[in-house]
Amino acid sequence: MQEAISLKQISKIYERKIALSSLSFTVNKGELVALIGPSGAGKTTLLNLLAAILPPSQGEILIDGHPLSELMDHKKRAKKIGIIRQQYDLVGELPVIHNVLAGRLSEWGLIKSLLSMLIPQDKEYASQALRRVGLTDKLYEKTSSLSGGEQQRVALARLLVQSPEIVLADEPVASLDPARAEDVLDLLVKIALEEKQTLIASLHSVEYARKYFDRLIALKDGEIFFDLPASSVTDDQIKSLYRLKEIS
Protein backbone atom coordinates (compact mmCIF):
# COMPACT_ATOMS: atom_id res chain seq x y z
CA MET A 1 0.00 0.00 0.00
CA GLN A 2 1.15 3.50 -0.81
CA GLU A 3 1.34 6.00 2.02
CA ALA A 4 -0.78 9.15 1.66
CA ILE A 5 0.03 10.72 5.04
CA SER A 6 2.79 10.11 7.55
CA LEU A 7 3.10 11.83 10.93
CA LYS A 8 6.43 11.71 12.72
CA GLN A 9 6.48 12.75 16.39
CA ILE A 10 3.97 15.56 15.90
CA SER A 11 3.27 17.85 18.85
CA LYS A 12 1.20 21.02 19.10
CA ILE A 13 1.53 23.33 22.08
CA TYR A 14 -0.61 26.44 22.69
CA GLU A 15 1.18 28.67 25.19
CA ARG A 16 1.53 26.11 28.00
CA LYS A 17 -1.23 23.72 26.96
CA ILE A 18 -0.16 20.56 25.13
CA ALA A 19 -2.89 19.93 22.53
CA LEU A 20 -1.09 17.03 20.84
CA SER A 21 1.90 15.08 22.10
CA SER A 22 4.31 13.04 19.95
CA LEU A 23 1.83 11.55 17.47
CA SER A 24 3.22 9.12 14.91
CA PHE A 25 1.12 7.13 12.42
CA THR A 26 0.65 6.61 8.70
CA VAL A 27 -2.48 6.55 6.55
CA ASN A 28 -2.43 4.67 3.26
CA LYS A 29 -4.05 5.92 0.07
CA GLY A 30 -7.74 5.14 -0.07
CA GLU A 31 -8.10 4.42 3.67
CA LEU A 32 -11.23 5.50 5.54
CA VAL A 33 -10.11 6.66 8.99
CA ALA A 34 -12.27 8.01 11.81
CA LEU A 35 -10.79 10.10 14.63
CA ILE A 36 -12.69 9.56 17.86
CA GLY A 37 -12.24 10.64 21.47
CA PRO A 38 -13.66 12.98 24.08
CA SER A 39 -14.04 16.73 23.53
CA GLY A 40 -10.69 18.47 23.83
CA ALA A 41 -8.74 15.33 22.88
CA GLY A 42 -7.07 17.12 19.94
CA LYS A 43 -9.10 15.86 16.95
CA THR A 44 -9.75 19.29 15.38
CA THR A 45 -6.18 20.41 16.08
CA LEU A 46 -4.89 17.32 14.28
CA LEU A 47 -7.10 17.97 11.24
CA ASN A 48 -5.99 21.62 11.15
CA LEU A 49 -2.36 20.47 11.15
CA LEU A 50 -3.05 18.05 8.29
CA ALA A 51 -4.78 20.84 6.35
CA ALA A 52 -1.75 23.12 6.90
CA ILE A 53 -4.02 25.64 8.67
CA LEU A 54 -1.77 25.30 11.76
CA PRO A 55 1.95 24.49 11.89
CA PRO A 56 3.14 21.75 14.28
CA SER A 57 5.24 22.81 17.27
CA GLN A 58 7.45 19.77 16.74
CA GLY A 59 7.72 16.90 14.28
CA GLU A 60 7.01 16.48 10.58
CA ILE A 61 3.99 15.71 8.40
CA LEU A 62 4.61 14.04 5.05
CA ILE A 63 2.09 13.98 2.20
CA ASP A 64 2.98 11.40 -0.48
CA GLY A 65 6.45 11.25 1.06
CA HIS A 66 7.05 15.00 0.83
CA PRO A 67 6.98 17.50 3.72
CA LEU A 68 3.61 19.26 4.05
CA SER A 69 5.60 22.49 4.42
CA GLU A 70 6.42 22.17 0.69
CA LEU A 71 2.69 22.36 -0.14
CA MET A 72 2.26 26.03 0.72
CA ASP A 73 1.26 26.86 -2.86
CA HIS A 74 -2.53 27.16 -2.65
CA LYS A 75 -3.21 25.51 -6.03
CA LYS A 76 -1.02 22.50 -5.31
CA ARG A 77 -2.48 22.08 -1.83
CA ALA A 78 -6.07 22.29 -3.11
CA LYS A 79 -5.35 19.35 -5.43
CA LYS A 80 -3.97 17.31 -2.54
CA ILE A 81 -6.15 18.27 0.44
CA GLY A 82 -9.77 19.35 0.86
CA ILE A 83 -11.63 20.00 4.11
CA ILE A 84 -15.29 19.91 5.06
CA ARG A 85 -16.54 21.18 8.42
CA GLN A 86 -19.56 21.06 10.68
CA GLN A 87 -20.31 24.73 9.82
CA TYR A 88 -20.21 23.99 6.05
CA ASP A 89 -18.13 27.17 5.28
CA LEU A 90 -20.72 28.32 2.75
CA VAL A 91 -21.83 31.87 1.88
CA GLY A 92 -25.54 31.75 2.67
CA GLU A 93 -26.50 34.80 0.61
CA LEU A 94 -25.10 33.32 -2.60
CA PRO A 95 -26.88 30.85 -4.89
CA VAL A 96 -25.85 27.21 -4.55
CA ILE A 97 -23.95 27.21 -7.86
CA HIS A 98 -21.50 29.87 -6.60
CA ASN A 99 -20.75 27.93 -3.42
CA VAL A 100 -20.13 24.76 -5.40
CA LEU A 101 -17.90 26.51 -7.92
CA ALA A 102 -15.76 27.88 -5.07
CA GLY A 103 -14.12 24.46 -5.38
CA ARG A 104 -12.73 25.61 -8.74
CA LEU A 105 -11.15 28.84 -7.47
CA SER A 106 -7.69 27.29 -7.15
CA GLU A 107 -7.89 26.38 -10.87
CA TRP A 108 -8.97 29.83 -12.03
CA GLY A 109 -7.12 33.10 -12.38
CA LEU A 110 -8.39 36.31 -10.78
CA ILE A 111 -10.32 37.48 -13.86
CA LYS A 112 -12.17 34.18 -14.32
CA SER A 113 -12.96 34.09 -10.57
CA LEU A 114 -14.44 37.62 -10.71
CA LEU A 115 -16.33 36.90 -13.95
CA SER A 116 -17.85 33.78 -12.39
CA MET A 117 -19.57 35.95 -9.75
CA LEU A 118 -21.58 37.49 -12.62
CA ILE A 119 -21.80 34.56 -15.03
CA PRO A 120 -20.99 31.20 -13.37
CA GLN A 121 -18.03 29.58 -15.16
CA ASP A 122 -17.56 25.84 -15.68
CA LYS A 123 -21.26 25.41 -14.85
CA GLU A 124 -21.18 21.77 -15.96
CA TYR A 125 -18.87 20.92 -13.04
CA ALA A 126 -21.43 22.28 -10.58
CA SER A 127 -24.33 20.52 -12.32
CA GLN A 128 -22.57 17.14 -12.31
CA ALA A 129 -21.50 17.48 -8.66
CA LEU A 130 -25.00 18.48 -7.51
CA ARG A 131 -26.49 15.55 -9.43
CA ARG A 132 -24.17 13.17 -7.54
CA VAL A 133 -25.25 14.57 -4.16
CA GLY A 134 -28.94 14.55 -5.09
CA LEU A 135 -29.49 18.32 -5.40
CA THR A 136 -29.95 18.71 -9.16
CA ASP A 137 -32.87 21.11 -8.77
CA LYS A 138 -31.12 23.46 -6.29
CA LEU A 139 -28.55 25.03 -8.66
CA TYR A 140 -29.81 28.62 -8.38
CA GLU A 141 -31.49 28.51 -4.96
CA LYS A 142 -30.22 30.79 -2.21
CA THR A 143 -27.94 28.59 -0.12
CA SER A 144 -29.27 29.82 3.24
CA SER A 145 -32.77 28.64 2.29
CA LEU A 146 -31.63 24.99 2.28
CA SER A 147 -31.84 22.62 5.25
CA GLY A 148 -28.71 21.71 7.21
CA GLY A 149 -28.43 18.35 5.47
CA GLU A 150 -28.80 19.98 2.05
CA GLN A 151 -26.16 22.59 2.90
CA GLN A 152 -23.72 19.85 3.89
CA ARG A 153 -24.45 18.19 0.51
CA VAL A 154 -23.58 21.51 -1.18
CA ALA A 155 -20.27 21.43 0.72
CA LEU A 156 -19.75 17.86 -0.56
CA ALA A 157 -20.47 19.01 -4.11
CA ARG A 158 -17.87 21.77 -3.69
CA LEU A 159 -15.36 19.08 -2.64
CA LEU A 160 -16.27 17.04 -5.71
CA VAL A 161 -15.51 20.03 -7.91
CA GLN A 162 -12.20 20.62 -6.09
CA SER A 163 -11.35 16.89 -6.44
CA PRO A 164 -8.61 16.60 -3.79
CA GLU A 165 -6.74 13.35 -3.15
CA ILE A 166 -7.21 13.62 0.63
CA VAL A 167 -10.48 14.67 2.30
CA LEU A 168 -10.48 15.88 5.90
CA ALA A 169 -13.89 16.09 7.57
CA ASP A 170 -14.17 17.87 10.93
CA GLU A 171 -17.36 16.76 12.71
CA PRO A 172 -19.22 16.83 9.36
CA VAL A 173 -22.56 15.64 10.80
CA ALA A 174 -22.49 16.99 14.37
CA SER A 175 -25.25 19.54 13.69
CA LEU A 176 -27.55 17.14 11.79
CA ASP A 177 -30.30 14.89 13.10
CA PRO A 178 -29.56 11.12 12.96
CA ALA A 179 -31.38 10.41 9.67
CA ARG A 180 -29.66 13.25 7.80
CA ALA A 181 -26.34 12.48 9.48
CA GLU A 182 -26.45 8.93 8.12
CA ASP A 183 -27.37 10.24 4.64
CA VAL A 184 -24.42 12.63 4.59
CA LEU A 185 -21.92 10.08 5.98
CA ASP A 186 -23.10 7.47 3.51
CA LEU A 187 -22.57 9.96 0.68
CA LEU A 188 -19.20 11.16 2.01
CA VAL A 189 -17.84 7.59 2.18
CA LYS A 190 -19.39 6.60 -1.16
CA ILE A 191 -17.78 9.57 -2.93
CA ALA A 192 -14.40 8.88 -1.29
CA LEU A 193 -14.52 5.26 -2.50
CA GLU A 194 -15.63 6.23 -6.03
CA GLU A 195 -12.98 8.97 -6.32
CA LYS A 196 -10.32 6.76 -4.66
CA GLN A 197 -9.77 9.44 -2.03
CA THR A 198 -8.21 9.07 1.39
CA LEU A 199 -10.76 10.14 4.01
CA ILE A 200 -10.03 11.18 7.61
CA ALA A 201 -13.04 12.32 9.64
CA SER A 202 -13.45 13.34 13.27
CA LEU A 203 -16.71 12.10 14.76
CA HIS A 204 -18.51 12.36 18.10
CA SER A 205 -20.51 9.22 17.36
CA VAL A 206 -18.59 5.98 17.89
CA GLU A 207 -21.54 4.15 16.31
CA TYR A 208 -21.08 6.06 13.03
CA ALA A 209 -17.31 5.64 13.19
CA ARG A 210 -17.65 1.86 13.47
CA LYS A 211 -20.31 1.63 10.79
CA TYR A 212 -18.74 3.75 8.05
CA PHE A 213 -14.96 3.62 8.59
CA ASP A 214 -12.31 0.90 8.30
CA ARG A 215 -9.97 2.20 10.98
CA LEU A 216 -10.41 4.09 14.24
CA ILE A 217 -7.71 6.32 15.71
CA ALA A 218 -8.70 7.26 19.25
CA LEU A 219 -7.23 10.38 20.85
CA LYS A 220 -7.28 11.16 24.56
CA ASP A 221 -5.46 14.06 26.24
CA GLY A 222 -3.58 14.77 23.01
CA GLU A 223 -2.16 11.26 22.67
CA ILE A 224 -3.10 8.16 20.68
CA PHE A 225 -5.18 5.94 22.97
CA PHE A 226 -5.57 3.22 20.34
CA ASP A 227 -5.26 2.81 16.57
CA LEU A 228 -7.18 -0.26 15.38
CA PRO A 229 -9.35 -1.72 12.61
CA ALA A 230 -12.93 -0.66 13.34
CA SER A 231 -14.08 -4.28 13.49
CA SER A 232 -11.68 -5.14 16.34
CA VAL A 233 -12.46 -2.24 18.69
CA THR A 234 -14.19 -3.53 21.82
CA ASP A 235 -16.87 -1.88 23.95
CA ASP A 236 -14.45 -1.92 26.89
CA GLN A 237 -11.91 0.08 24.91
CA ILE A 238 -14.59 2.63 24.05
CA LYS A 239 -15.64 2.90 27.70
CA SER A 240 -12.03 3.46 28.77
CA LEU A 241 -11.58 6.10 26.08
CA TYR A 242 -14.50 8.19 27.32
CA ARG A 243 -14.07 7.50 31.05
CA LEU A 244 -13.51 10.66 33.06
CA LYS A 245 -10.51 10.93 35.31
CA GLU A 246 -11.37 10.26 38.91
CA ILE A 247 -10.77 13.23 41.18
CA SER A 248 -8.86 12.15 44.27
Side-chain angles (χ1 to χ4, degrees):
M1 295 287 284
Q2 205 174 349
E3 287 181 7
I5 299 166
S6 181
L7 275 72
K8 300 187 175 183
Q9 296 294 308
I10 287 292
S11 295
K12 183 64 183 176
I13 301 164
Y14 296 107
E15 294 174 355
R16 290 181 190 170
K17 184 183 185 301
I18 299 171
L20 295 172
S21 177
S22 301
L23 299 194
S24 294
F25 63 84
T26 60
V27 176
N28 290 323
K29 291 198 173 187
E31 266 198 285
L32 305 174
V33 180
L35 301 176
I36 60 171
S39 296
K43 301 185 296 292
T44 295
T45 299
L46 176 55
L47 288 175
N48 283 335
L49 291 176
L50 293 173
I53 293 165
L54 291 173
S57 303
Q58 294 172 327
E60 187 176 41
I61 299 171
L62 303 178
I63 304 293
D64 290 344
H66 300 284
L68 179 57
S69 54
E70 291 178 6
L71 264 186
M72 289 302 109
D73 177 80
H74 178 64
K75 287 191 176 185
K76 284 183 184 174
R77 195 163 75 241
K79 276 282 144 215
K80 284 286 178 190
I81 302 165
I83 191 161
I84 185 168
R85 298 184 186 277
Q86 174 184 341
Q87 300 86 357
Y88 321 130
D89 295 334
L90 303 173
V91 181
E93 295 306 304
L94 290 179
V96 166
I97 187 170
H98 289 298
N99 276 299
V100 174
L101 288 174
R104 297 288 293 166
L105 291 178
S106 64
E107 299 280 324
W108 297 344
L110 178 62
I111 291 171
K112 189 169 183 179
S113 298
L114 292 171
L115 180 61
S116 189
M117 294 303 293
L118 300 171
I119 306 161
Q121 304 294 297
D122 297 349
K123 181 184 164 185
E124 68 279 5
Y125 281 98
S127 297
Q128 286 171 14
L130 287 168
R131 186 160 53 249
R132 283 181 69 181
V133 301
L135 293 177
T136 312
D137 57 338
K138 307 289 186 183
L139 202 61
Y140 292 103
E141 286 203 23
K142 187 177 176 183
T143 304
S144 61
S145 71
L146 304 183
S147 70
E150 287 172 335
Q151 288 190 44
Q152 195 61 298
R153 284 168 178 261
V154 172
L156 281 174
R158 180 184 59 200
L159 262 187
L160 271 169
V161 163
Q162 181 185 337
S163 192
E165 293 174 21
I166 297 166
V167 173
L168 308 173
D170 188 13
E171 298 291 356
V173 296
S175 58
L176 303 179
D177 64 58
R180 285 173 181 80
E182 294 239 22
D183 281 348
V184 167
L185 275 177
D186 198 57
L187 197 54
L188 180 65
V189 168
K190 183 180 172 210
I191 287 169
L193 291 170
E194 287 173 354
E195 299 293 313
K196 296 180 171 57
Q197 292 167 318
T198 305
L199 173 61
I200 303 178
S202 64
L203 293 169
H204 273 310
S205 169
V206 175
E207 183 189 342
Y208 293 159
R210 281 171 151 171
K211 181 174 178 180
Y212 290 99
F213 291 80
D214 304 327
R215 174 180 170 193
L216 306 188
I217 297 178
L219 295 179
K220 189 171 187 176
D221 300 325
E223 298 179 352
I224 293 178
F225 191 72
F226 63 74
D227 178 355
L228 293 166
S231 57
S232 67
V233 174
T234 66
D235 290 343
D236 282 345
Q237 285 170 317
I238 296 299
K239 281 178 190 168
S240 296
L241 173 64
Y242 289 96
R243 187 176 294 136
L244 294 172
K245 285 181 183 174
E246 290 182 14
I247 300 170
S248 54

